[in-house]
Amino acid sequence: MSTIEQEMVHAAEGGHHDHHELPFIRKYIFSTDHKMIAKQFMFVSLFFLVIGGLLATMMRWQLGYPGEPMPGGMLLPDAMMAPTPNGAIMLPEFYNSLVTMHGTIMIFFAIMPLLVGLFGNLLIPLQIGAEDMAFPRLNMISFWLAVPAGILMLSSFAVEGGAAGAGWTSYAPLSVSGEWTGVYLGQQLWLASLTILGFSSLVGAVNYITTVINMRAPGMTWFRMPLATWALFVTAILILLAIPILAGALIMLLFDQTIGTGFFRPEVGGEPLLWQHLFWFFGHPEVYILILPAMGIVSEVISNRARKPIFGYHSMVLAIIGIGFLGWIVWGHHMFMSGMNPLLGTSFMISTMAIAVPSAIKTFNWLATIWKGDLHLDSPMLYALAFVSMFIIGGLSGIFMASTPVDIYIHDTYFIVAHIHYVLFGGSLFAIFAGITFWFPKMFGRMMNETLNKVHFGLTIVLYNLVFWPMHNLGLQGMMRRIYDFTQYEYLAPLQPMNQFISISVFLLVAAQSVYAFNFFWSIFRGEKASNNPWDSNTLEWTVPSPPPHGNFPEMPVVYRGPYEYSSPESDTDFYPQTKPPPSKPPVQELIPEPVTPTPEGF
Amino acid sequence: MNWSWILPPSFSTVSGDIDGIYYVILWITGITFFITEALLFYFIFKYRHKEGRKATYDHGSTKMEIAWTMVPLVIVLWIGVVSKGVWDTVKVDVPAAGLEVIVTGKQFEWNVTYPGPDGALGTSDDFETLNELHAPEDQPIVITLRSEDVIHSFFLPEMRIKQDAVPGQDITVWFEAIQPGDYTIGCAELCGIGHTTMGGTLTIYTAADFQAWSSSQAQQQQP
């Protein structure tokens, strides 16, 4: 019997390992409990989400009010802001650092660890009926590698020359030498931080894959797995294959910077485009790492809150796998203008267009799921429906960029900035709000305040669109991205009112997030107490106490059916938990205590 | 504030086709956008929870899955095929040059080298301009694009031309302007602290005016 099986049997026997005796430091700091690690990832990434938002606010000040003193700017050091009698004006090198660090922090330290670190850890063991991850200590290491990576990344703001300023894509040769950017140590810290974070992700991915393959409860077949777990499983495979490419590229770039190698330096025979190929060969799967778990979360919430089975479960799974596969053959669409052979552009255009197909399948299936449903429009559902609505926009705007001739004009403009934010903010972040709100009772045993959530939802969906919709229009007018002062260009100067409008909307959007932050912390301590299954859900995590004890399941759950049997005629309620035995085949142990009285008709 | 989805005017032989594909995609995505969002909002309204409502127990329909797989597939592949033709015209099939120049990007300026009176580049009568590209209308301008330091992106918004300049590579770019006037040269790739200042002017002349400008420049710049 393998160790895993022994542990499973142990769990099934109701073993609790005396975990309540754990000292504070093992329970809250160096925990091996997947639920605690999920919470640790959540708190750290929400902190980074706030940092990333503040960086965006500063950037938007400069774009809305180019060259005007920034309120509070005097508090920042002279390396970032130029002091004048009227106040401090942002320096272009600091603007470049903001551009770089906003992207880096949001992608690697906020969205990715929220989706993968939080929901991967929280949901996978609970939804498949496992007592923990396959490798709990590796799981702990995964979190404790992410922390120093985050500290290194933030500390780069304080070093001489400031934080990295070559964009989150860090194109060589700009990123190779401080000669080009004025950033020396900051760029190296950026590389070191992401390399360490890469190891964190890798360790996590190995753990998720092993857990899903080996530790599913009896009866939890592949096609009875909830879509969130499916999506996280495919995401883990993408991480496992993509991160080594990034790590290799990062180390090559670090060598170019520090010990004089020439992988990406043309003056010694290197090839700048090699960096882009390596980066995007990682980077495009990364984009799907950032959206697939969000799609999984949204599928859970929509089916549950519509009280209706997810429409086309099998095609949803196939679409997840399809997106995961296509993600490997489209990286060149980031490089249509890069100087790559233009003939390659056509093949990458065709493969990129093909991605529209699984995306369309998912969207239509969500629409068909709410069709003839019984929609409970509470806050998790509102966030999830916002995801669908915004993902439609982000998906459709992608077709413009996929078309190579149109991309000639809109590449590297605000059109792409709008597109990525419709997918990553309108998509991933709304799904994160949906997921945190939905699983909050499972994590903390209390509900979030519904009124505050609805206020937050209303403010966010409106302000979000006021920020990012007009960015399409800026891009169509030809405004480039990553530009410190667009008014330097005569033809862009008339865009100032729209930029100011966007900036004001950003300030309000960021301020509106305090409603969610307040609700989050208030509800942890003061929220209404939650039952085990406040949403009348079918999946396994709702059969255990909120929050679940160490070891999760008092006894090994047995799974009888798929996760989305809502409003089934077989059940007398509008849900039908995966573990509820079917009436025709009652399990033996339930029959024993009850005396069987034969009816006149007999059995 | 300009909330319009109409593209600003364009002035090259290929820009009409590029803008045309943009409008085709705008129509297709625009219609899809309105239909899907309308359905979403209609369903949210129509099927919102009321006392006594029960959701339909329905797992899906293979026919519908096939429909919404095939229809988007056909549409996007058609967009791909149409796009390929224009892409090849702009980036692959370079026509015989009316004027050949070298454009070199470096932090934070564009240097343009002209062939001079002998019509050939790399000879002693070549002359240069800084942050200005002068060219005649109605002739293919074929540019050899280079960079001396980092990656820049040579952007002519009114001509619908964009191409990264990569150090260590000679990349061919061409366009043909259809109207004399002053247009923008921009840098579209983050290239360092002064990236925002890396702009310039594209001046398009009638053939005769260009000839006059070119000879006067060649004379002025002779040693």
Side-chain angles (χ1 to χ4, degrees):
Chain A
M1 191 187 275
S2 75
T3 323
I4 292 169
E5 282 167 345
Q6 277 168 6
E7 283 183 5
M8 285 169 85
V9 168
H10 190 53
E13 285 161 355
H16 274 246
H17 307 273
D18 298 325
H19 281 297
H20 299 292
E21 312 280 319
L22 280 176
F24 180 85
I25 197 162
R26 290 275 288 112
K27 188 168 178 204
Y28 293 106
I29 316 265
F30 295 106
S31 173
T32 54
D33 180 354
H34 70 101
K35 302 177 291 292
M36 182 54 66
I37 295 170
K39 286 185 201 171
Q40 289 174 324
F41 268 115
M42 176 169 65
F43 283 110
V44 170
S45 1
L46 287 176
F47 166 76
F48 275 103
L49 190 68
V50 172
I51 301 280
L54 293 177
L55 297 180
T57 319
M58 287 194 267
M59 232 192 301
R60 281 313 314 183
W61 174 266
Q62 168 62 26
L63 289 168
Y65 306 88
E68 286 182 40
M70 190 173 86
M74 296 304 268
L75 302 171
L76 293 170
D78 289 358
M80 300 175 180
M81 311 290 290
T84 69
N86 301 324
I89 295 169
M90 185 178 293
L91 291 167
E93 48 268 49
F94 183 52
Y95 181 83
N96 289 351
S97 294
L98 288 176
V99 165
T100 306
M101 296 299 274
H102 168 72
T104 306
I105 284 177
M106 284 305 201
I107 287 170
F108 291 103
F109 291 93
I111 306 292
M112 191 175 171
L114 277 170
L115 288 172
V116 181
L118 160 59
F119 291 110
N121 268 309
L122 179 70
L123 296 183
I124 290 177
L126 282 170
Q127 287 197 328
I128 63 171
E131 66 158 355
D132 204 317
M133 285 286 176
F135 310 113
R137 277 180 200 81
L138 269 191
N139 211 13
M140 177 181 83
I141 291 169
S142 167
F143 174 72
W144 283 106
L145 280 171
V147 171
I151 293 171
L152 276 184
M153 189 57 81
L154 284 183
S155 66
S156 68
F157 275 110
V159 301
E160 200 185 340
W168 83 276
T169 51
S170 208
Y171 276 10
L174 184 67
S175 56
V176 170
S177 167
E179 193 188 333
W180 309 126
T181 52
V183 181
Y184 291 84
L185 186 54
Q187 187 69 44
Q188 289 162 20
L189 286 172
W190 186 90
L191 290 167
S193 164
L194 286 189
T195 310
I196 296 170
L197 189 70
F199 281 103
S200 161
S201 302
L202 266 187
V203 166
V206 169
N207 215 346
Y208 296 173
I209 294 169
T210 315
T211 306
V212 172
I213 293 178
N214 287 316
M215 294 178 66
R216 282 171 289 127
M220 180 58 83
T221 59
W222 284 101
F223 288 109
R224 282 182 186 167
M225 276 195 338
L227 288 171
T229 295
W230 256 114
L232 286 160
F233 175 67
V234 173
T235 301
I237 295 172
L238 294 184
I239 292 177
L240 185 73
L241 299 174
I243 293 282
I245 314 289
L246 174 70
L250 292 171
I251 290 167
M252 285 157 83
L253 185 54
L254 192 61
F255 282 175
D256 272 13
Q257 285 178 11
T258 51
I259 62 172
T261 56
F263 296 111
F264 311 121
R265 291 161 61 213
E267 69 271 24
V268 292
E271 174 53 83
L273 288 192
L274 175 62
W275 167 265
Q276 293 183 33
H277 280 293
L278 292 174
F279 185 84
W280 288 117
F281 189 69
F282 146 80
H284 207 82
E286 170 71 16
V287 174
Y288 296 133
I289 291 167
L290 298 169
I291 198 70
L292 285 178
M295 291 171 159
I297 289 166
V298 162
S299 303
E300 300 294 300
V301 174
I302 287 186
S303 173
N304 175 294
R305 298 285 78 202
R307 314 310 291 160
K308 188 161 171 276
I310 198 90
F311 199 88
Y313 172 87
H314 283 87
S315 24
M316 289 300 247
V317 172
L318 287 176
I320 291 172
I321 297 171
I323 291 173
F325 173 76
L326 286 172
W328 294 100
I329 52 170
V330 297
W331 81 91
H333 69 220
H334 298 271
M335 298 173 61
F336 288 154
M337 305 306 133
S338 69
M340 174 181 79
N341 187 327
L343 292 173
L344 269 175
T346 299
S347 32
F348 279 117
M349 166 173 66
I350 300 298
S351 57
T352 303
M353 289 289 183
I355 292 257
V357 174
S359 309
I361 293 174
K362 295 202 79 80
T363 305
F364 287 121
N365 276 314
W366 286 318
L367 283 177
T369 302
I370 64 170
W371 169 58
K372 293 187 176 176
D374 173 23
L375 309 184
H376 291 60
L377 296 172
D378 33 27
S379 51
M381 183 63 156
L382 293 177
Y383 291 123
L385 292 171
F387 169 98
V388 177
S389 178
M390 297 300 109
F391 179 75
I392 290 174
I393 300 175
L396 291 174
S397 68
I399 297 177
F400 290 87
M401 264 100 55
S403 163
T404 43
V406 179
D407 191 58
I408 295 173
Y409 181 57
I410 59 179
H411 180 78
D412 270 332
T413 67
Y414 262 77
F415 197 91
I416 180 88
V417 179
H419 167 72
I420 185 129
H421 286 92
Y422 265 93
V423 181
L424 275 190
F425 189 149
S428 307
L429 198 54
F430 270 106
I432 287 167
F433 285 131
I436 290 181
T437 313
F438 190 72
W439 280 286
F440 192 90
K442 195 47 65 184
M443 283 190 279
F444 297 105
R446 291 172 187 274
M447 308 295 288
M448 286 185 85
N449 182 290
E450 184 64 14
T451 313
L452 285 177
N453 266 343
K454 281 188 171 146
V455 170
H456 169 257
F457 169 79
L459 289 171
T460 305
I461 189 80
V462 170
L463 290 168
Y464 160 81
N465 278 293
L466 293 181
V467 170
F468 294 107
W469 183 270
M471 286 190 186
H472 293 114
N473 307 96
L474 293 182
L476 295 176
Q477 296 302 312
M479 178 170 162
M480 310 86 166
R481 66 199 282 220
R482 293 172 171 172
I483 191 163
Y484 163 72
D485 182 0
F486 64 92
T487 58
Q488 300 264 344
Y489 285 96
E490 206 182 314
Y491 80 111
L492 296 178
L495 301 179
Q496 166 126 37
M498 191 171 247
N499 271 293
Q500 219 164 71
F501 175 84
I502 292 174
S503 295
I504 294 168
S505 305
V506 168
F507 304 149
L508 296 173
L509 177 63
V510 171
Q513 302 315 304
S514 59
V515 178
Y516 198 83
F518 170 78
N519 190 2
F520 180 84
F521 286 109
W522 185 85
S523 300
I524 289 179
F525 300 105
R526 294 286 161 83
E528 189 192 327
K529 280 251 192 316
S531 64
N532 288 0
N533 192 1
W535 309 112
D536 291 342
S537 179
N538 291 339
T539 44
L540 299 188
E541 74 269 33
W542 303 102
T543 61
V544 294
S546 305
H550 204 309
N552 297 341
F553 296 91
E555 51 192 283
M556 174 70 79
V558 178
V559 175
Y560 296 97
R561 64 187 65 78
Y564 302 115
E565 293 299 301
Y566 293 105
S567 304
S568 161
E570 270 184 55
S571 175
D572 41 7
T573 52
D574 70 350
F575 65 116
Y576 201 6
Q578 289 186 278
T579 50
K580 190 176 177 187
S584 49
K585 284 191 292 179
V588 185
Q589 65 265 34
E590 275 194 22
L591 279 180
I592 294 165
E594 286 189 20
V596 182
T597 347
T599 55
E601 296 86 354
F603 279 97
Chain B
M1 283 191 276
N2 187 350
W3 295 84
S4 161
W5 283 67
I6 306 290
L7 293 172
S10 60
F11 301 93
S12 75
T13 50
V14 295
S15 61
D17 289 344
I18 292 176
D19 294 1
I21 294 181
Y22 164 81
Y23 288 117
V24 167
I25 299 176
L26 185 64
W27 272 107
I28 293 173
T29 55
I31 291 167
T32 315
F33 167 75
F34 280 111
I35 292 176
T36 47
E37 298 281 357
L39 278 176
L40 180 68
F41 281 94
Y42 175 66
F43 291 164
I44 291 173
F45 177 77
K46 176 134 197 254
Y47 300 112
R48 70 191 186 282
H49 175 68
K50 279 188 203 151
E51 216 44 59
R53 181 187 301 288
K54 192 157 164 56
T56 312
Y57 180 70
D58 180 5
H59 280 95
S61 140
T62 311
K63 270 187 198 157
M64 286 169 90
E65 299 291 340
I66 291 171
W68 58 52
T69 304
M70 294 316 292
V71 172
L73 183 69
V74 170
I75 293 175
V76 292
L77 288 183
W78 178 76
I79 295 175
V81 170
V82 177
S83 296
K84 180 190 182 297
V86 180
W87 173 253
D88 286 352
T89 313
V90 183
K91 294 276 182 178
V92 181
D93 309 322
V94 180
L99 170 71
E100 265 186 283
V101 296
I102 300 170
V103 173
T104 309
K106 68 173 191 184
Q107 286 186 334
F108 298 97
E109 60 194 40
W110 297 105
N111 274 303
V112 186
T113 308
Y114 302 81
D118 67 355
L121 282 162
T123 52
S124 60
D125 67 345
D126 290 1
F127 62 91
E128 294 187 352
T129 55
L130 180 62
N131 292 331
E132 287 172 16
L133 171 56
H134 300 260
E137 64 172 337
D138 297 336
Q139 287 180 41
I141 317 299
V142 178
I143 299 166
T144 304
L145 187 60
R146 293 175 180 162
S147 168
E148 278 184 17
D149 39 37
V150 300
I151 295 174
H152 303 277
S153 192
F154 182 69
F155 183 27
L156 306 176
E158 290 98 341
M159 303 296 145
R160 305 288 189 261
I161 288 298
K162 187 180 286 133
Q163 176 60 55
D164 288 3
V166 183
Q169 258 194 67
D170 284 1
I171 300 171
T172 306
V173 184
W174 80 274
F175 71 96
E176 185 176 328
I178 54 173
Q179 193 178 308
D182 282 346
Y183 305 100
T184 307
I185 302 176
C187 178
E189 185 74 63
L190 178 63
C191 63
I193 295 169
H195 167 54
T196 192
T197 62
M198 201 168 158
T201 311
L202 165 69
T203 308
I204 300 293
Y205 301 88
T206 59
D209 287 353
F210 178 74
Q211 210 49 53
W213 174 86
S214 179
S215 5
S216 78
Q217 285 293 312
Q219 268 171 5
Q220 276 173 32
Q221 292 195 22
Q222 279 309 310

Short mmCIF file of all heavy atoms in Angstrom, two decimals, chain B residues 99 101-103 110 112-114 129-135 141 143 154 156 175 181-183 185 200-205 210 213:
data_model
loop_
_atom_site.label_atom_id
_atom_site.label_comp_id
_atom_site.label_asym_id
_atom_site.label_seq_id
_atom_site.Cartn_x
_atom_site.Cartn_y
_atom_site.Cartn_z
N LEU B 99 11.96 55.07 -54.41
CA LEU B 99 13.01 55.71 -53.63
C LEU B 99 13.45 54.73 -52.56
O LEU B 99 12.62 54.12 -51.89
CB LEU B 99 12.48 56.99 -52.96
CG LEU B 99 13.40 57.64 -51.92
CD1 LEU B 99 14.62 58.27 -52.59
CD2 LEU B 99 12.66 58.67 -51.09
N VAL B 101 15.66 54.29 -49.07
CA VAL B 101 16.35 55.01 -48.00
C VAL B 101 16.70 54.02 -46.89
O VAL B 101 16.16 52.92 -46.83
CB VAL B 101 15.49 56.16 -47.41
CG1 VAL B 101 15.21 57.23 -48.44
CG2 VAL B 101 14.19 55.62 -46.83
N ILE B 102 17.62 54.46 -46.02
CA ILE B 102 17.91 53.68 -44.83
C ILE B 102 17.41 54.48 -43.64
O ILE B 102 17.72 55.67 -43.52
CB ILE B 102 19.43 53.44 -44.68
CG1 ILE B 102 19.96 52.67 -45.88
CG2 ILE B 102 19.74 52.71 -43.38
CD1 ILE B 102 21.48 52.61 -45.93
N VAL B 103 16.63 53.85 -42.76
CA VAL B 103 16.19 54.51 -41.53
C VAL B 103 16.85 53.77 -40.37
O VAL B 103 16.71 52.56 -40.25
CB VAL B 103 14.66 54.49 -41.38
CG1 VAL B 103 14.25 55.02 -40.01
CG2 VAL B 103 14.00 55.30 -42.49
N TRP B 110 15.58 59.24 -35.07
CA TRP B 110 15.54 58.48 -36.32
C TRP B 110 16.48 59.17 -37.32
O TRP B 110 16.30 60.33 -37.63
CB TRP B 110 14.12 58.46 -36.90
CG TRP B 110 13.10 57.79 -36.04
CD1 TRP B 110 12.14 58.42 -35.31
CD2 TRP B 110 12.91 56.39 -35.85
NE1 TRP B 110 11.36 57.48 -34.65
CE2 TRP B 110 11.82 56.23 -34.97
CE3 TRP B 110 13.57 55.25 -36.31
CZ2 TRP B 110 11.36 54.97 -34.55
CZ3 TRP B 110 13.11 54.01 -35.91
CH2 TRP B 110 12.01 53.88 -35.03
N VAL B 112 17.80 59.27 -41.17
CA VAL B 112 17.39 58.80 -42.49
C VAL B 112 18.51 59.09 -43.49
O VAL B 112 19.00 60.21 -43.58
CB VAL B 112 16.08 59.49 -42.95
CG1 VAL B 112 15.61 58.89 -44.26
CG2 VAL B 112 15.02 59.37 -41.88
N THR B 113 18.94 58.06 -44.24
CA THR B 113 19.98 58.22 -45.24
C THR B 113 19.35 58.09 -46.63
O THR B 113 18.63 57.13 -46.91
CB THR B 113 21.06 57.12 -45.08
OG1 THR B 113 21.48 57.11 -43.72
CG2 THR B 113 22.24 57.38 -45.99
N TYR B 114 19.63 59.11 -47.52
CA TYR B 114 19.07 59.14 -48.87
C TYR B 114 20.17 58.82 -49.87
O TYR B 114 21.36 59.08 -49.61
CB TYR B 114 18.49 60.51 -49.19
CG TYR B 114 17.40 60.95 -48.23
CD1 TYR B 114 17.73 61.50 -47.00
CD2 TYR B 114 16.05 60.81 -48.56
CE1 TYR B 114 16.74 61.90 -46.12
CE2 TYR B 114 15.06 61.21 -47.69
CZ TYR B 114 15.40 61.76 -46.47
OH TYR B 114 14.43 62.14 -45.60
N THR B 129 19.03 63.09 -43.07
CA THR B 129 18.19 64.02 -42.29
C THR B 129 17.95 63.37 -40.93
O THR B 129 18.02 62.15 -40.80
CB THR B 129 16.83 64.29 -42.96
OG1 THR B 129 16.18 63.04 -43.19
CG2 THR B 129 16.98 65.04 -44.26
N LEU B 130 17.66 64.23 -39.93
CA LEU B 130 17.43 63.73 -38.58
C LEU B 130 15.97 63.92 -38.20
O LEU B 130 15.45 65.04 -38.28
CB LEU B 130 18.33 64.49 -37.59
CG LEU B 130 18.22 64.09 -36.13
CD1 LEU B 130 18.62 62.64 -35.94
CD2 LEU B 130 19.10 65.01 -35.26
N ASN B 131 15.32 62.83 -37.81
CA ASN B 131 13.90 62.86 -37.40
C ASN B 131 12.97 63.39 -38.48
O ASN B 131 11.90 63.90 -38.19
CB ASN B 131 13.72 63.67 -36.11
CG ASN B 131 14.36 62.98 -34.92
OD1 ASN B 131 14.44 61.76 -34.89
ND2 ASN B 131 14.82 63.76 -33.96
N GLU B 132 13.44 63.33 -39.72
CA GLU B 132 12.58 63.75 -40.83
C GLU B 132 12.73 62.73 -41.94
O GLU B 132 13.85 62.34 -42.26
CB GLU B 132 13.02 65.12 -41.37
CG GLU B 132 12.68 66.27 -40.46
CD GLU B 132 13.31 67.57 -40.96
OE1 GLU B 132 13.73 67.61 -42.15
OE2 GLU B 132 13.39 68.52 -40.17
N LEU B 133 11.61 62.31 -42.49
CA LEU B 133 11.67 61.47 -43.68
C LEU B 133 10.94 62.22 -44.79
O LEU B 133 9.78 62.58 -44.64
CB LEU B 133 11.01 60.11 -43.42
CG LEU B 133 10.81 59.19 -44.62
CD1 LEU B 133 12.12 58.92 -45.37
CD2 LEU B 133 10.18 57.87 -44.19
N HIS B 134 11.66 62.52 -45.87
CA HIS B 134 11.09 63.22 -47.01
C HIS B 134 10.95 62.24 -48.15
O HIS B 134 11.87 61.49 -48.43
CB HIS B 134 11.99 64.38 -47.43
CG HIS B 134 12.18 65.40 -46.33
ND1 HIS B 134 11.49 66.58 -46.29
CD2 HIS B 134 12.98 65.38 -45.23
CE1 HIS B 134 11.86 67.27 -45.21
NE2 HIS B 134 12.76 66.56 -44.54
N ALA B 135 9.80 62.26 -48.78
CA ALA B 135 9.57 61.27 -49.84
C ALA B 135 8.53 61.77 -50.83
O ALA B 135 7.69 62.59 -50.47
CB ALA B 135 9.11 59.96 -49.22
N ILE B 141 8.15 53.71 -51.51
CA ILE B 141 9.35 54.08 -50.75
C ILE B 141 9.80 52.81 -50.04
O ILE B 141 9.05 52.25 -49.23
CB ILE B 141 9.03 55.15 -49.68
CG1 ILE B 141 8.12 56.24 -50.23
CG2 ILE B 141 10.31 55.70 -49.07
CD1 ILE B 141 8.68 57.01 -51.39
N ILE B 143 12.26 51.07 -47.49
CA ILE B 143 13.13 51.47 -46.38
C ILE B 143 13.88 50.26 -45.87
O ILE B 143 13.29 49.19 -45.67
CB ILE B 143 12.27 52.05 -45.23
CG1 ILE B 143 11.52 53.30 -45.69
CG2 ILE B 143 13.13 52.35 -44.01
CD1 ILE B 143 10.43 53.73 -44.74
N PHE B 154 9.21 51.57 -35.69
CA PHE B 154 8.99 52.65 -36.65
C PHE B 154 7.51 52.69 -37.01
O PHE B 154 6.98 51.76 -37.60
CB PHE B 154 9.86 52.35 -37.89
CG PHE B 154 9.81 53.38 -38.96
CD1 PHE B 154 10.35 54.64 -38.76
CD2 PHE B 154 9.24 53.09 -40.20
CE1 PHE B 154 10.33 55.60 -39.77
CE2 PHE B 154 9.20 54.04 -41.21
CZ PHE B 154 9.75 55.29 -40.99
N LEU B 156 4.29 54.79 -38.63
CA LEU B 156 3.72 55.87 -39.44
C LEU B 156 2.20 55.73 -39.36
O LEU B 156 1.60 55.04 -40.18
CB LEU B 156 4.18 55.76 -40.90
CG LEU B 156 5.68 55.69 -41.15
CD1 LEU B 156 5.95 55.48 -42.64
CD2 LEU B 156 6.38 56.97 -40.68
N PHE B 175 6.12 51.58 -48.25
CA PHE B 175 4.79 52.18 -48.34
C PHE B 175 4.76 53.12 -49.52
O PHE B 175 5.81 53.50 -50.05
CB PHE B 175 4.42 52.92 -47.04
CG PHE B 175 5.19 54.20 -46.82
CD1 PHE B 175 4.65 55.44 -47.20
CD2 PHE B 175 6.45 54.17 -46.25
CE1 PHE B 175 5.37 56.62 -47.00
CE2 PHE B 175 7.18 55.35 -46.06
CZ PHE B 175 6.63 56.56 -46.43
N GLY B 181 1.91 66.12 -47.97
CA GLY B 181 1.55 66.69 -46.66
C GLY B 181 2.56 66.29 -45.60
O GLY B 181 3.51 65.56 -45.89
N ASP B 182 2.34 66.78 -44.38
CA ASP B 182 3.18 66.41 -43.25
C ASP B 182 2.48 65.37 -42.40
O ASP B 182 1.32 65.57 -42.02
CB ASP B 182 3.50 67.64 -42.39
CG ASP B 182 4.58 68.50 -43.02
OD1 ASP B 182 5.26 68.00 -43.95
OD2 ASP B 182 4.73 69.66 -42.61
N TYR B 183 3.18 64.30 -42.09
CA TYR B 183 2.61 63.21 -41.30
C TYR B 183 3.55 62.90 -40.13
O TYR B 183 4.63 63.45 -40.00
CB TYR B 183 2.39 61.98 -42.17
CG TYR B 183 1.54 62.26 -43.39
CD1 TYR B 183 2.13 62.45 -44.66
CD2 TYR B 183 0.16 62.35 -43.29
CE1 TYR B 183 1.35 62.72 -45.78
CE2 TYR B 183 -0.63 62.61 -44.41
CZ TYR B 183 -0.03 62.80 -45.66
OH TYR B 183 -0.79 63.06 -46.75
N ILE B 185 5.94 60.53 -37.61
CA ILE B 185 6.77 59.35 -37.37
C ILE B 185 6.79 59.17 -35.85
O ILE B 185 7.03 60.12 -35.11
CB ILE B 185 8.22 59.55 -37.84
CG1 ILE B 185 8.27 59.88 -39.34
CG2 ILE B 185 9.06 58.31 -37.54
CD1 ILE B 185 9.67 60.18 -39.84
N GLY B 200 9.03 62.19 -35.03
CA GLY B 200 9.57 62.93 -36.16
C GLY B 200 8.48 63.24 -37.17
O GLY B 200 7.30 63.01 -36.90
N THR B 201 8.89 63.74 -38.31
CA THR B 201 7.92 64.15 -39.32
C THR B 201 8.19 63.44 -40.64
O THR B 201 9.34 63.37 -41.09
CB THR B 201 8.00 65.67 -39.55
OG1 THR B 201 7.96 66.31 -38.28
CG2 THR B 201 6.84 66.15 -40.39
N LEU B 202 7.14 62.97 -41.24
CA LEU B 202 7.20 62.43 -42.59
C LEU B 202 6.62 63.48 -43.52
O LEU B 202 5.48 63.90 -43.34
CB LEU B 202 6.38 61.13 -42.67
CG LEU B 202 6.02 60.61 -44.05
CD1 LEU B 202 7.27 60.11 -44.78
CD2 LEU B 202 4.98 59.50 -43.96
N THR B 203 7.44 63.94 -44.48
CA THR B 203 6.93 64.94 -45.42
C THR B 203 6.82 64.31 -46.81
O THR B 203 7.80 63.78 -47.34
CB THR B 203 7.88 66.16 -45.48
OG1 THR B 203 8.10 66.60 -44.13
CG2 THR B 203 7.27 67.28 -46.28
N ILE B 204 5.61 64.36 -47.35
CA ILE B 204 5.37 63.80 -48.69
C ILE B 204 5.22 64.96 -49.68
O ILE B 204 4.48 65.92 -49.42
CB ILE B 204 4.10 62.93 -48.70
CG1 ILE B 204 4.23 61.76 -47.71
CG2 ILE B 204 3.79 62.43 -50.10
CD1 ILE B 204 5.27 60.75 -48.08
N TYR B 205 5.98 64.88 -50.79
CA TYR B 205 5.97 65.92 -51.82
C TYR B 205 5.37 65.36 -53.11
O TYR B 205 5.29 64.14 -53.26
CB TYR B 205 7.40 66.36 -52.18
CG TYR B 205 8.21 66.92 -51.04
CD1 TYR B 205 8.96 66.08 -50.23
CD2 TYR B 205 8.27 68.29 -50.82
CE1 TYR B 205 9.74 66.58 -49.21
CE2 TYR B 205 9.04 68.80 -49.80
CZ TYR B 205 9.78 67.95 -48.99
OH TYR B 205 10.55 68.45 -47.99
N PHE B 210 9.77 66.90 -54.73
CA PHE B 210 10.75 66.06 -54.05
C PHE B 210 12.09 66.15 -54.75
O PHE B 210 13.14 66.24 -54.11
CB PHE B 210 10.29 64.60 -54.01
CG PHE B 210 11.30 63.71 -53.34
CD1 PHE B 210 11.47 63.76 -51.95
CD2 PHE B 210 12.14 62.87 -54.07
CE1 PHE B 210 12.44 62.97 -51.33
CE2 PHE B 210 13.10 62.10 -53.46
CZ PHE B 210 13.26 62.14 -52.09
N TRP B 213 13.70 69.31 -53.65
CA TRP B 213 14.18 69.23 -52.27
C TRP B 213 15.44 68.37 -52.20
O TRP B 213 16.43 68.71 -51.56
CB TRP B 213 13.09 68.64 -51.37
CG TRP B 213 13.56 68.42 -49.97
CD1 TRP B 213 13.56 69.33 -48.96
CD2 TRP B 213 14.14 67.23 -49.43
NE1 TRP B 213 14.11 68.79 -47.83
CE2 TRP B 213 14.46 67.49 -48.09
CE3 TRP B 213 14.41 65.96 -49.97
CZ2 TRP B 213 15.04 66.53 -47.25
CZ3 TRP B 213 14.99 65.01 -49.13
CH2 TRP B 213 15.30 65.30 -47.79
#
